Amino acid sequence: MKKQNLRSMAAQAVEQVIEQGQSLSNVLPPLQQKVSDKDKALLQELCFGVLRTLSQLEWLINKLMSRPMTGKQRTVHYLIMVGFYQLLHTRIPPHAALAETVEGAVAIKRPQLKGLINGVLRQFQRQQEELLAEFAQSEARFLHPDWLLKRLKKAYPQQWQDIADANNQRPPMWLRVNRNHHTRDAWLALLEEAGMSGFTHDAYPDAVRLASPAPVHALPGFEDGWVTVQDASAQGCMTWLEPQNGEQILDLCAAPGGKTTHILEVAPQASVMAVDVDEQRLSRVYDNLKRLGMKAQVKQGDGRKPAEWCGETQFDRILLDAPCSATGVIRRHPDIKWLRRDRDINELAQLQSDILDAIWPHLKPGGTLVYATCSVLPEENSQQISAFLKRTPDAALRDTGTPECPGQQNLPGTEEGDGFFYAKLIKE
């Protein structure tokens, strides 16, 4: 395998996210296929790290360069950021970080700019202490775009800073033990035999947090479906959905299938339909079902037009994991901070409202609908459910919040799950 310059690859990936609005989860995998296994992790660390700390790196560039790099030189702007990130946030020896980053200019066919890159990075090393002291006083220190900070401050006047801090951490690795194979404690014992350790969750009975993240192939029985990677908060959906054997259950907006398979672990004799609008992402639902040896009816369809994919069918239970801003999972997907725009929130709230109204007639009387998002913004969560309850006379809130403040909101926490919202609705 030809030796690639990881710094230039990371710079190009970040450029595609920031300048072209592409998702890192689409940009990174094809790049990782070009490098050795050993280098895959470093490439991921550089891309995720730069996007996590982008405000800081941008601030430093503005301090150290008299004018921004534009046009065809723009990749060099991101290459310098990759350099700063290594010097500030990794254990890579500074001389190696510098040499590899400068060499990155050759890989992107800008060898004439090696001197500039070297000069800026060395200047940063000389002024690092005073620059970081000044940065610590700036608004950019929260590493979030202004519009999002404004919304967090409004919604959580006491907690906004904790939420921003949690978003800037590396996420914990949560697993879901398949109760059809082992109890959680029995699987934990197997994990310890394999030389790893994990912690349980007070509220979610299948959840295990690894003491430190591990590759899936190292987990006992992963290939045999004994365990699945899934955040604790996402697992919380089952607490409210309470699927039962023999029921007809709809998982709407189901890709990549983590909740579909969790339904079938809790109620193996349920009849489950998994629907998502995105044809490509549905392939991951099939993959998850196959690994776990499960069957579900998988369909591509728009949640606003259920008649097109389920006719007149009515379901005992519906899990609607609604399309949302994903502001609760920023620590897993730091590109969300820079891909989302303030105007997206009202558009998403309208889409959620349209799906809720369209799918409600497909719930049987006495049935349960769990509305969930991985957002922390009230417009998509408590306000959304308040408005729905007001316009839907046969909908009642159960077990999750109060009519004045409907739903349960989880906030991201260092040793906890992601930011997540749930509302349990019963059709009267």
Side-chain angles (χ1 to χ4, degrees):
M1 192 174 276
K2 177 173 166 280
K3 180 155 169 41
Q4 301 274 355
N5 183 284
L6 298 182
R7 279 72 179 175
S8 65
M9 291 172 86
Q12 288 167 301
V14 173
E15 183 178 21
Q16 283 177 275
V17 172
I18 303 299
E19 307 284 334
Q20 295 166 29
Q22 294 198 43
S23 157
L24 186 59
S25 51
N26 292 337
V27 171
L28 186 57
L31 291 176
Q32 286 183 306
Q33 283 168 10
K34 297 179 182 176
V35 302
S36 68
D37 285 350
K38 173 171 75 70
D39 287 342
K40 279 186 175 72
L42 177 56
L43 180 58
Q44 179 168 319
E45 164 68 19
L46 295 175
C47 293
F48 273 73
V50 169
L51 289 164
R52 197 178 288 123
T53 58
L54 193 80
S55 316
Q56 181 186 42
L57 310 176
E58 196 77 68
W59 186 91
L60 288 169
I61 282 187
N62 290 336
K63 284 282 171 190
L64 291 167
M65 294 183 74
S66 52
R67 59 173 192 270
M69 314 286 293
T70 54
K72 289 184 176 171
Q73 317 288 31
R74 193 70 182 151
T75 314
V76 176
H77 175 90
Y78 293 104
L79 185 57
I80 292 169
M81 281 190 175
V82 172
F84 286 156
Y85 178 74
Q86 293 167 89
L87 293 171
L88 275 169
H89 300 289
T90 72
R91 293 184 187 156
I92 297 166
H95 67 272
L98 232 73
E100 287 288 332
T101 305
V102 169
E103 212 42 51
V106 178
I108 55 170
K109 301 185 170 52
R110 294 282 177 277
Q112 70 279 21
L113 295 174
K114 284 169 75 169
L116 171 79
I117 298 166
N118 188 48
V120 174
L121 294 177
R122 287 192 180 281
Q123 192 185 345
F124 166 68
Q125 284 181 303
R126 287 193 294 274
Q127 299 179 9
Q128 184 166 340
E129 254 177 70
E130 56 262 42
L131 281 168
L132 293 182
E134 191 184 338
F135 173 75
Q137 302 305 312
S138 77
E139 195 63 15
R141 73 185 184 278
F142 298 111
L143 309 180
H144 280 58
D146 292 343
W147 71 265
L148 182 51
L149 276 182
K150 206 162 143 188
R151 282 185 180 266
L152 291 175
K153 286 175 183 177
K154 185 181 171 195
Y156 303 100
Q158 307 301 316
Q159 296 155 291
W160 68 270
Q161 220 167 321
D162 292 340
I163 296 169
D165 286 346
N167 288 346
N168 296 332
Q169 305 304 314
R170 287 177 170 76
M173 185 168 175
W174 281 98
L175 306 169
R176 184 185 84 225
V177 177
N178 185 344
R179 56 175 80 177
N180 297 316
H181 288 286
H182 296 87
T183 64
R184 178 174 66 180
D185 291 347
W187 189 83
L188 263 174
L190 294 173
L191 185 71
E192 295 202 356
E193 277 173 35
M196 291 175 269
S197 59
F199 305 90
T200 58
H201 193 287
D202 292 343
Y204 308 133
D206 303 316
V208 168
R209 175 173 59 82
L210 289 183
S212 52
V216 289
H217 58 77
L219 302 172
F222 179 81
E223 299 302 334
D224 302 315
W226 295 359
V227 68
T228 293
V229 178
Q230 188 184 38
D231 182 73
S233 292
Q235 296 181 44
C237 291
M238 289 315 117
T239 303
W240 307 115
L241 189 68
E242 298 179 285
Q244 306 294 317
N245 284 323
E247 290 182 331
Q248 251 194 316
I249 300 174
L250 171 65
D251 183 7
L252 184 53
C253 312
K259 298 180 189 73
T260 307
T261 52
H262 200 187
I263 292 170
L264 286 162
E265 285 174 11
V266 176
Q269 269 81 57
S271 168
V272 177
M273 183 187 286
V275 178
D276 201 275
V277 73
D278 187 334
E279 186 93 58
Q280 270 187 308
R281 292 186 75 223
L282 279 175
S283 65
R284 294 186 54 204
V285 179
Y286 287 111
D287 292 345
N288 276 313
L289 287 165
K290 188 178 172 189
R291 183 177 65 83
L292 292 159
M294 293 171 172
K295 285 192 168 53
Q297 204 180 353
V298 181
K299 294 192 171 191
Q300 193 261 332
D302 186 330
R304 293 167 295 186
K305 300 169 187 170
E308 291 180 2
W309 42 264
C310 76
E312 299 295 308
T313 308
Q314 288 199 314
F315 298 90
D316 296 286
R317 293 176 202 267
I318 296 174
L319 173 58
L320 168 54
D321 185 4
C324 71
S325 61
T327 42
V329 293
I330 284 172
R331 59 188 185 172
R332 292 189 190 284
H333 304 281
D335 51 341
I336 288 165
K337 291 191 285 193
W338 317 112
L339 293 172
R340 283 272 170 265
R341 298 285 176 268
D342 195 33
R343 64 176 178 272
D344 297 342
I345 307 307
N346 288 343
E347 288 171 20
L348 285 162
Q350 185 59 55
L351 173 61
Q352 293 153 358
S353 166
D354 293 347
I355 296 174
L356 264 170
D357 288 343
I359 203 61
W360 187 252
H362 290 269
L363 182 66
K364 290 178 184 174
T368 298
L369 182 146
V370 171
Y371 172 88
T373 73
C374 56
S375 167
V376 295
L377 301 179
E379 293 83 354
E380 303 177 88
N381 295 343
S382 54
Q383 290 173 23
Q384 181 69 261
I385 296 303
S386 268
F388 179 73
L389 289 167
K390 283 194 183 84
R391 67 176 181 266
T392 316
D394 60 349
L397 184 74
R398 284 287 151 82
D399 308 328
T400 46
T402 62
E404 300 72 45
C405 185
Q408 177 184 311
Q409 179 72 64
N410 289 4
L411 297 176
T414 312
E415 294 181 356
E416 276 297 317
D418 294 334
F420 224 88
F421 175 85
Y422 325 85
K424 179 179 177 176
L425 304 168
I426 303 290
K427 185 181 263 191
E428 294 184 324

